[in-house]
């Protein structure tokens, strides 16, 4: 396994499948799709599950979560059965808080796509504070990461004739002021990083051609990306530019009155959170003087030489997951043994901060949403695996009101949820959540979903609403008598920077060991049948599930592998792969390939081994993780005689489904796959 990467590539018989839109690869994809659909759509119960999944995911009673609060208005992107690509709309904050929002539709994305002959997918909007009249609207053709950015007038409800337009690309675009933008875009040779992202930030003034835009910051080809941020600090606009020197490292600069980028004395490894009262708020990843990894720290923007101050220090069981500033309050959402807590922090004299915990339901998952600046109010979604989502408006004074609540979408009285802990090979305590039918006795089929990378924590949300976990698949599985498990393995952010670093680069085996530990713990407790365990992972979770089935083909019976990284020898040369070298390592360096080769799923598939049944799902339009990973993995596994199902949507990007109808179909296909392949699941 230590052979040079180039030699291995020369012998790869499935390299042709990397041609994304090639006629031969697409012909193969369509054949695989047809095989999968022919088998799984014929399974008894498929049509009923697809219809139910669509009803759940397109429920008109869903909560209209604010995408932003702009002054006295609320913005929302709404999707239902009649508006698959969504309505971008606006209501007054007062009517929204009263529970009776009076919506004004700004853009019907479906209608716009029909009128313009484009398969537009909504990518969001950035509205210019403090007037909030003009917005930059991002629309993606087919759901790719690349999008087109166009200027929109909220007052007229129309795109601005002769306004700003940034052509399709993986661009970074923000308002500098009403008549200027900060734009980072790829515009030809020499303007992209190795990862395919922009490496130059320019200031573009209204009424001038793009050729007249002036350079503000320039990175190098070896950087990951560059971009701009403009944050309101009270009444003051603070403009920043960022040079991403690594996936987890950035150099931050503040634009002075002359438009020059002045480097800030902030460590490159920090997570930049927000700005409040003249302070840049960051989370530390590495020690800094007396400060510890995970600490929330403030840097004075107007006094760069001033010593940073401590905002708060999480405990060993806690991790700071979200931070957002309103006018006078810093809102901090914590994980505490993977349960959510919310704090309101206020700056005081001498750099001291006071923290006020908000009284919210215990043992719940919290999601900090949009904040209202002037009112020092935050929207918080509260939910659990069996508890429907409720949206609360909370005040820094401790006040709270329920704005909306999702009605129950299934009978939770028949199910039970618990948090358990497994012990990994090195003694690490690994938490996981499990949902089963009440009164379950004896071992049953189990489905374990995990991720384990990029500091991304996996939190237990309502069982119906996670398309990236295949929508209501977990619900269907539990209702059928199976054990649905969400594992919090190392590599994520559940316990702060150390939890991520424990599975970084040469330590990645720890995440695979953690998944194995959860599976074996389920067997030891008599919860899971040892012959009927399925695993699920998407994106980075594809590396996880791929490594798991190649390392332990006898432990797992089936694997759901979505939008996966799979060929770690070539990942850095495919799509945005080069941007993740800090996470995995560089396969072109022999020292890195030495440890990567031990787990790279594609290289570790062996002839003569019967692997667990696999289901690959992905999108042709995924311009983040190359479709070639899944295609080649499927082909190589099929060549061993192992059972492989494959489904590639033509649109949808990295999130796979371009709309929720496609998400519903995927959930039903995966349900049928598990019913067909897991003993005891029928």
């Amino acid at each position: 396994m230590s052979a040079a990467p180039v030699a291995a590539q020369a012998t790869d018989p499935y390299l042709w499948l990397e041609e994304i839109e090639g006629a031969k690869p697409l012909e193969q994809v369509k054949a695989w799709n047809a095989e999968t659909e022919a088998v799984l759509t014929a399974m008894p119960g498929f049509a009923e599950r697809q219809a139910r999944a669509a009803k759940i995911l397109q429920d008109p009673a869903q909560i209209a979560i604010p995408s932003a609060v702009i002054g006295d208005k609320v913005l929302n992107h709404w999707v239902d059965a009649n508006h698959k690509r969504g309505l971008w709309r606006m209501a007054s904050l007062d009517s929204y808080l009263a529970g009776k929002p009076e919506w004004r539709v700004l853009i019907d994305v479906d209608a716009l796509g029909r009128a313009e002959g484009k398969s537009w997918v909504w990518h969001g909007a950035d509205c210019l504070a403090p007037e909030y009249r003009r917005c930059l609207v991002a629309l993606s053709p087919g759901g790719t990461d690349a999008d087109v950015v166009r200027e929109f007038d909220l007052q007229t409800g129309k795109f601005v004739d002769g306004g700003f337009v940034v052509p399709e690309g993986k661009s970074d675009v923000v308002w500098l002021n009403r008549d200027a933008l900060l734009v980072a875009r790829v515009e030809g040779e020499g303007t992209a990083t190795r990862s395919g992202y922009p490496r130059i930030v320019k200031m573009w003034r209204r009424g001038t051609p793009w050729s007249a835009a002036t350079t503000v910051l320039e990175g190098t080809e070896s950087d990951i990306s560059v971009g701009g941020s403009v944050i309101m600090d009270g009444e003051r606009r603070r403009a920043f530019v960022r040079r991403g020197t690594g996936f987890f490292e950035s150099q931050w600069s503040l634009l002075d009155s002359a438009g020059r980028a002045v480097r800030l004395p902030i460590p490159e490894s920090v997570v930049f959170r927000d700005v409040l009262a003249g302070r840049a708020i960051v989370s530390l990843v590495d020690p800094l003087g007396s400060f510890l990894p995970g600490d929330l720290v403030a840097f004075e923007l107007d006094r760069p030489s001033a010593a940073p101050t401590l905002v708060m220090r999480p405990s060993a069981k806690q991790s700071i997951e979200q931070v957002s500033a309103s006018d006078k309050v810093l809102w901090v959402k914590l994980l505490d043994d993977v349960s959510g807590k919310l704090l309101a922090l206020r700056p005081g004299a001498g750099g001291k901060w006071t923290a006020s915990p908000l009284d919210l339901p215990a043992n719940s998952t919290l999601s900090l949403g949009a904040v209202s600046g002037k009112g020092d109010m935050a929207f918080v979604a509260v939910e659990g695996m069996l508890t429907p989502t409720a949206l609360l408006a909370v005040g820094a004074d401790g006040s709270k009101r329920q704005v909306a609540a999702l009605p129950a979408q299934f009978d939770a009285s028949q199910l039970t949820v618990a948090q358990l802990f497994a012990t990994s090979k090195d003694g690490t305590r690994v938490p996981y959540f499990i949902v089963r039918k009440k009164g379950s006795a004896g071992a049953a089929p189990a489905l374990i979903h995990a991720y384990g990378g990029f500091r991304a924590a996996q939190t237990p949300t309502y069982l119906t609403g996670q398309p990236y976990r295949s929508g209501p698949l977990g619900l269907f599985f539990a209702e059928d008598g199976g054990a649905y498990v969400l594992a919090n393995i190392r590599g994520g952010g559940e316990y702060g920077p150390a939890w991520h670093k424990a599975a970084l680069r040469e330590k990645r085996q720890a995440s695979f060991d953690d998944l194995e530990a959860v599976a074996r713990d389920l067997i030891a407790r008599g919860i899971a049948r040892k012959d009927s365990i399925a695993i699920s992972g998407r994106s980075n979770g594809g590396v996880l599930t791929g490594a798991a089935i190649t390392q332990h083909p006898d432990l797992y019976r089936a694997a759901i592998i979505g939008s996966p990284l799979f060929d770690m020898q070539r990942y850095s040369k495919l799509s945005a792969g080069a941007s993740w070298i800090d996470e995995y390592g560089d396969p072109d360096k022999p020292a890195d390939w030495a440890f990567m080769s031990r787990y790279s799923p594609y290289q570790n598939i062996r002839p003569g081994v019967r692997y667990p049944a696999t289901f690959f799902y992905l999108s042709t339009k995924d311009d983040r993780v190359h479709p070639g990973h899944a295609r080649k993995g499927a082909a190589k596994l099929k060549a061993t005689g192992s059972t492989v199902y494959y489904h590639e949507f033509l649109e949808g990007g990295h999130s796979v489904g371009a709309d929720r109808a496609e998400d519903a179909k995927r959930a039903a296909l995966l349900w049928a796959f598990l019913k067909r392949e897991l003993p005891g699941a029928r």
Side-chain angles (χ1 to χ4, degrees):
M1 290 306 297
S2 59
V6 172
Q9 291 167 23
T11 60
D12 184 354
Y14 303 113
L15 202 62
W16 59 276
L17 286 166
E18 291 183 5
E19 188 181 356
I20 297 175
E21 301 284 355
K24 184 180 177 182
L26 284 180
E27 183 180 355
Q28 179 64 82
V29 163
K30 291 174 183 177
W32 285 343
N33 282 354
E35 291 173 5
T36 294
E37 293 201 22
V39 173
L40 296 183
T41 61
M43 287 285 291
F46 171 84
E48 291 82 359
R49 294 311 186 286
Q50 182 177 9
R52 187 179 174 203
K55 182 178 179 181
I56 287 170
L57 294 174
Q58 298 173 340
D59 189 345
Q62 65 187 287
I63 298 174
I65 300 288
S67 56
V69 177
I70 55 171
D72 60 355
K73 300 289 192 299
V74 169
L75 294 174
N76 164 257
H77 178 241
W78 176 263
V79 175
D80 60 27
N82 297 319
H83 306 93
K84 293 183 178 181
R85 300 298 173 89
L87 301 173
W88 185 45
R89 56 191 191 171
M90 180 171 66
S92 70
L93 180 58
D94 287 342
S95 71
Y96 186 85
L97 290 172
K100 297 179 180 180
E102 300 164 356
W103 294 111
R104 172 192 169 203
V105 175
L106 300 167
I107 297 177
D108 181 329
V109 182
D110 299 83
L112 179 68
R114 289 192 295 270
E116 297 184 346
K118 296 283 188 178
S119 182
W120 289 130
V121 174
W122 181 255
H123 265 199
D126 171 28
C127 298
L128 178 63
E131 297 87 1
Y132 298 113
R133 175 169 176 175
R134 295 291 176 89
C135 301
L136 297 171
V137 167
L139 296 163
S140 165
T144 65
D145 282 358
D147 51 34
V148 176
V149 178
R150 299 155 69 178
E151 186 177 3
F152 188 87
D153 190 311
L154 287 180
Q155 186 171 322
T156 65
K158 297 179 180 179
F159 288 105
V160 177
D161 187 25
F164 287 113
V165 176
V166 179
E168 181 182 341
K170 293 184 179 181
S171 305
D172 185 285
V173 186
V174 296
W175 291 105
L176 181 61
N177 54 53
R178 191 182 187 282
D179 293 314
L181 306 180
L182 291 176
V183 180
R185 57 177 288 234
V186 176
E187 49 182 317
E189 186 176 353
T191 64
T193 67
R194 177 185 175 188
S195 301
Y197 293 101
R199 71 170 189 84
I200 301 171
V201 181
K202 294 184 177 181
M203 181 175 65
W204 186 19
R205 296 188 182 279
R206 186 182 298 281
T208 65
W210 171 251
S211 59
T214 57
T215 297
V216 175
L217 178 73
E218 187 168 348
T220 68
E221 186 179 355
S222 62
D223 289 341
I224 302 300
S225 64
V226 296
S229 299
V230 178
I231 302 173
M232 292 301 295
D233 182 13
E235 299 296 326
R236 184 173 178 182
R237 297 178 62 79
R238 293 190 183 269
F240 301 87
V241 285
R242 170 194 54 79
R243 177 187 167 202
T245 53
F247 191 85
F248 302 109
E249 290 80 33
S250 292
Q251 296 176 356
W252 286 86
S253 299
L254 187 65
L255 295 191
D256 65 13
S257 58
R260 294 170 300 203
V262 179
R263 176 81 183 276
L264 294 171
I266 296 175
E268 291 187 33
S269 64
V270 305
V271 179
F272 195 104
R273 298 292 193 176
D274 213 325
V275 173
L276 179 65
R279 302 169 178 91
I281 311 298
V282 306
S283 289
L284 295 185
V285 175
D286 298 313
L288 179 66
S290 61
F291 302 125
L292 304 177
D295 284 354
L296 199 63
V297 174
F299 286 82
E300 297 281 349
L301 289 173
D302 297 324
R303 294 192 303 137
S305 61
T309 55
L310 181 68
V311 178
M312 71 161 291
R313 172 167 293 165
S315 73
K317 296 196 306 178
Q318 294 177 333
S319 173
I320 294 173
E321 193 176 32
Q322 292 177 283
V323 179
S324 189
S326 53
D327 195 31
K328 298 177 181 177
V329 173
L330 191 69
W331 302 89
V332 177
K333 179 269 183 90
L334 295 170
L335 291 180
D336 193 329
D337 256 345
V338 204
S339 289
K341 291 186 175 179
L342 183 66
L343 305 176
L345 286 85
R346 295 177 179 81
K352 302 293 184 182
W353 293 72
T354 57
S356 302
L358 279 297
D359 182 21
L360 297 173
N363 302 318
S364 298
T365 290
L366 308 181
S367 297
L368 178 60
V371 300
S372 175
K374 295 299 181 183
D376 282 324
M377 179 192 70
F379 287 104
V380 182
V382 182
E383 62 189 312
M385 295 180 99
L386 305 182
T387 307
T389 308
L391 183 67
L392 307 180
V394 300
D397 58 359
S399 62
K400 61 182 178 182
R401 70 167 105 173
Q402 181 172 292
V403 177
L406 184 71
Q409 294 179 308
F410 60 90
D411 184 2
S413 69
Q414 303 301 309
L415 302 172
T416 183
V417 62
Q419 185 184 36
L420 301 174
F421 292 83
T423 302
S424 199
K425 285 183 178 178
D426 61 0
T428 299
R429 190 168 175 255
V430 180
Y432 64 92
F433 294 86
I434 179 169
V435 178
R436 295 192 74 185
K437 273 189 172 181
K438 281 185 179 177
S440 295
L447 171 61
I448 309 169
H449 183 86
Y451 183 75
F454 294 94
R455 301 177 186 159
Q458 301 296 290
T459 51
T461 53
Y462 196 48
L463 279 181
T464 60
Q466 287 288 353
Y468 77 94
R469 294 180 194 153
S470 300
L473 175 64
L475 169 64
F476 296 166
F477 192 78
E479 287 180 335
D480 287 345
Y484 175 65
V485 176
L486 180 64
N488 302 113
I489 64 176
R490 281 174 287 181
E494 286 85 347
Y495 293 102
W499 198 250
H500 172 238
K501 289 182 178 181
L504 198 60
R505 288 174 50 84
E506 71 275 7
K507 300 176 183 178
R508 195 141 214 99
Q509 184 62 40
S511 66
F512 314 144
D513 291 345
D514 288 358
L515 180 63
E516 178 192 358
V518 170
R520 296 196 185 281
D521 194 64
L522 290 166
I523 295 170
R525 291 176 186 268
I527 295 172
R529 286 179 51 158
K530 63 180 181 180
D531 65 342
S532 194
I533 295 178
I535 52 177
S536 166
R538 193 179 77 83
S539 191
N540 170 75
V543 178
L544 171 72
T545 49
I549 63 171
T550 54
Q551 292 182 5
H552 304 287
D554 297 329
L555 176 60
Y556 307 110
R557 187 64 176 245
I560 295 170
I561 304 175
S563 306
L565 284 147
F566 214 75
D567 181 352
M568 300 308 290
Q569 193 169 56
R570 283 187 51 74
Y571 89 95
S572 59
K573 298 175 175 61
L574 301 174
S575 299
S579 60
W580 309 317
I581 284 174
D582 290 348
E583 178 80 13
Y584 299 116
D586 187 343
D588 290 333
K589 294 180 178 178
D592 286 7
W593 181 240
F595 60 77
M596 297 175 70
S597 65
R598 298 189 190 105
Y599 73 78
S600 179
Y602 189 63
Q603 279 71 33
N604 281 285
I605 297 171
R606 306 296 185 204
V609 178
R610 184 77 175 185
Y611 291 98
T614 53
F615 189 123
F616 289 89
Y617 71 84
L618 64 150
S619 165
T620 309
K621 294 294 186 184
D622 189 344
D623 55 351
R624 192 181 313 175
V625 176
H626 196 287
H629 285 283
R631 293 174 180 179
K632 296 199 307 178
K636 195 169 185 181
L637 282 168
K638 279 178 173 287
T640 69
S642 301
T643 301
V644 179
Y645 299 79
Y646 187 95
H647 199 274
E648 182 175 322
F649 281 110
L650 297 181
E651 291 190 325
H654 189 53
S655 59
V656 184
D659 55 53
R660 292 177 184 171
E662 292 184 352
D663 291 335
K665 181 177 181 179
R666 185 173 73 250
L669 288 170
L670 294 175
W671 170 84
F673 162 69
L674 295 174
K675 294 291 282 187
R676 183 178 174 86
E677 296 298 334
L678 289 185
R682 296 193 182 187

